[in-house]
Amino acid sequence: MSLKDHLVARIRQDGPMSVADYMAECLLHPTRGYYTTRDPLGAAGDFTTAPEISQMFGELIGLCLAQSWMNQGRPAPFTLCELGPGRGTLMGDILRATRAVAGFHDAARIVLVEASPVLKQVQADTLRDYTPNWADSVAELPDQPLLLVANEFFDALPVRQFLRDGDGDGWSERLVGERDGELLIGRGPNGPQVALTDRLSDTKDGDLVELCAAAIPILTVIAGRIASHGGAALIVDYGDWHSLGDTLQALQNHEHADPLAAPGQADLTAHVDFEPLAIATRACGCRHTRLTPQGVFLERLGITARAQALSRTLSGSELDALIAAHRRLTHPDEMGNLFKVMGLYPAYAAPPPGLEP
Ligand code: SAH
């Protein structure tokens, strides 16, 4: 049975499902989910990510985390964690760049939080020179200082979508239903939504707001560990502050696709609303930095100097590729502005380098 047939059967039995349930099934269904069945990254896959574009991204992230660790008195042991590590490229670049940081590798316990069995295999191969551990959830992170990075992880978490319905306090949820075996989007009944009370003042009839409930418990664990034991986290993703509008998108073979067209065959993501993440961080007594465009963050960390250093040994097409990668990561017309960075850090420490309180 295809994933689509499974979803149609489930809807016939239980009624229309939330966009969040649809996303979760498409991405992580145990046998037919998008991430559970393939390595989606790179030129042969459906999308690419900053660490796959250039080693410079992971190197600078690694040095940023290592500097935070040094600023906080080099605590040992500490957890070095990545959420959704993809092919392990980012963690590999972090570890290579920090080899010369005295004591860093000896103190680090590497934990990879990954849901995909296929990608776990790829990560094990990429990181074969190290001793990573895998966890199914951040709840398994030990009670010790935590240095964490999440690049394009939160955008893969399921979102519910609500339409402001009329001039009162009512919302109706967008739901995935079926007709004659085809999936389609419909609307649930109009009613108040407690979780959206604070959005009544900045939305009007017809506006769409997305809620990512799954992100909050994850942030709560991360912020809790950092507040009580020290460390830092870097959350990098496309998105903004205070979400408005439908940002659910499907990517297949590097092209946009209809999110309902081929369940389990396309990557599904939604932009990250950083505001609820920041609120959850503060609720744990942890600090967060200002939301900063990726291009600005990487420039502050010295990506141009790093590109110049790397360029000295390159010529021809390799040099062109390096210049293109630098531009792609930093330029406002490319990933530089669309992607944002938010850092987490304890109240007694300085924010991670490249970010402001
Ligand atoms: N960070 C990597 C990969 C981004 S793709 C990079 O920048 O290249 C998203 C990653 O998150 C994949 O590794 C995917 O398998 C993982 N993932 C998605 N949802 C997850 C979940 N709920 N729990 C754990 N990992 C998840």
Side-chain angles (χ1 to χ4, degrees):
M1 198 195 255
S2 71
L3 185 59
K4 182 175 166 187
D5 292 341
H6 161 77
L7 292 169
V8 168
R10 181 176 152 181
I11 293 166
R12 282 185 180 153
Q13 187 176 321
D14 302 338
M17 64 174 74
S18 69
V19 170
D21 285 348
Y22 175 74
M23 270 182 94
E25 287 273 52
C26 288
L27 294 177
L28 295 176
H29 183 281
T31 54
R32 294 174 220 114
Y34 179 74
Y35 281 117
T36 32
T37 53
R38 78 200 68 210
D39 170 3
L41 287 143
D46 293 309
F47 63 96
T48 193
T49 58
E52 301 295 332
I53 290 169
S54 168
Q55 68 186 72
M56 295 185 289
F57 183 80
E59 290 170 348
L60 294 170
I61 296 272
L63 295 175
C64 176
L65 291 175
Q67 187 64 53
S68 291
W69 177 74
M70 289 188 279
N71 291 348
Q72 292 178 36
R74 302 172 185 258
F78 72 91
T79 309
L80 178 60
C81 177
E82 181 174 359
L83 305 185
R87 286 184 169 163
T89 309
L90 172 54
M91 184 54 80
D93 290 335
I94 289 173
L95 290 166
R96 190 170 32 75
T98 53
R99 235 177 354 211
V101 179
F104 190 76
H105 280 203
D106 285 344
R109 304 285 174 273
I110 303 165
V111 179
L112 308 173
V113 177
E114 176 56 68
S116 161
V118 177
L119 288 172
K120 276 184 198 170
Q121 283 298 323
V122 182
Q123 292 154 19
D125 185 44
T126 308
L127 301 171
R128 59 190 170 279
D129 294 340
Y130 306 95
T131 46
N133 304 282
W134 281 267
D136 291 329
S137 125
V138 290
E140 296 168 40
L141 293 178
D143 276 321
Q144 61 186 28
L146 172 65
L147 294 179
L148 177 142
V149 63
N151 183 60
E152 291 211 47
F153 169 79
F154 284 94
D155 68 354
L157 298 182
V159 294
R160 291 173 74 182
Q161 294 187 323
F162 294 92
L163 284 158
R164 185 85 186 267
D165 196 355
D167 298 326
D169 62 356
W171 302 84
S172 57
E173 181 162 14
R174 289 183 94 205
L175 298 173
V176 179
E178 68 87 29
R179 187 186 297 138
D180 303 328
E182 293 303 319
L183 297 170
L184 46 84
I185 290 275
R187 270 185 184 215
N190 181 323
Q193 288 290 338
V194 178
L196 293 174
T197 308
D198 68 327
R199 300 305 304 266
L200 289 171
S201 56
D202 72 335
T203 54
K204 57 181 186 324
D205 183 28
D207 281 349
L208 188 151
V209 171
E210 294 174 333
L211 265 190
C212 183
I216 305 306
I218 297 173
L219 243 290
T220 301
V221 172
I222 299 170
R225 295 285 192 283
I226 293 173
S228 40
H229 302 286
L234 297 170
I235 298 171
V236 189
D237 231 305
Y238 57 141
D240 222 321
W241 197 262
H242 224 63
S243 97
L244 191 62
D246 175 11
T247 71
L248 180 69
Q249 69 168 30
L251 273 183
Q252 200 170 5
N253 301 323
H254 298 264
E255 303 273 346
H256 286 278
D258 172 357
L260 297 185
Q265 306 292 317
D267 184 37
L268 288 184
T269 57
H271 283 207
V272 175
D273 183 358
F274 284 88
E275 188 183 39
L277 306 189
I279 292 170
T281 300
R282 291 198 295 269
C284 297
C286 185
R287 296 239 164 113
H288 62 82
T289 67
R290 224 177 269 192
L291 195 58
T292 304
Q294 172 175 298
V296 172
F297 173 66
L298 294 175
E299 287 296 357
R300 285 180 183 157
L301 293 178
I303 193 170
T304 299
R306 181 66 184 134
Q308 281 163 349
L310 286 170
S311 73
R312 282 189 206 112
T313 57
L314 301 178
S315 59
S317 62
E318 286 179 339
L319 181 58
D320 291 345
L322 176 75
I323 294 166
H326 174 274
R327 183 187 151 91
R328 203 159 162 205
L329 292 177
T330 59
H331 198 280
D333 293 342
E334 306 236 13
M335 296 171 80
N337 217 13
L338 184 62
F339 280 74
K340 309 285 193 311
V341 188
M342 188 170 81
L344 273 55
Y345 60 105
Y348 55 81
L355 298 171
E356 300 160 313

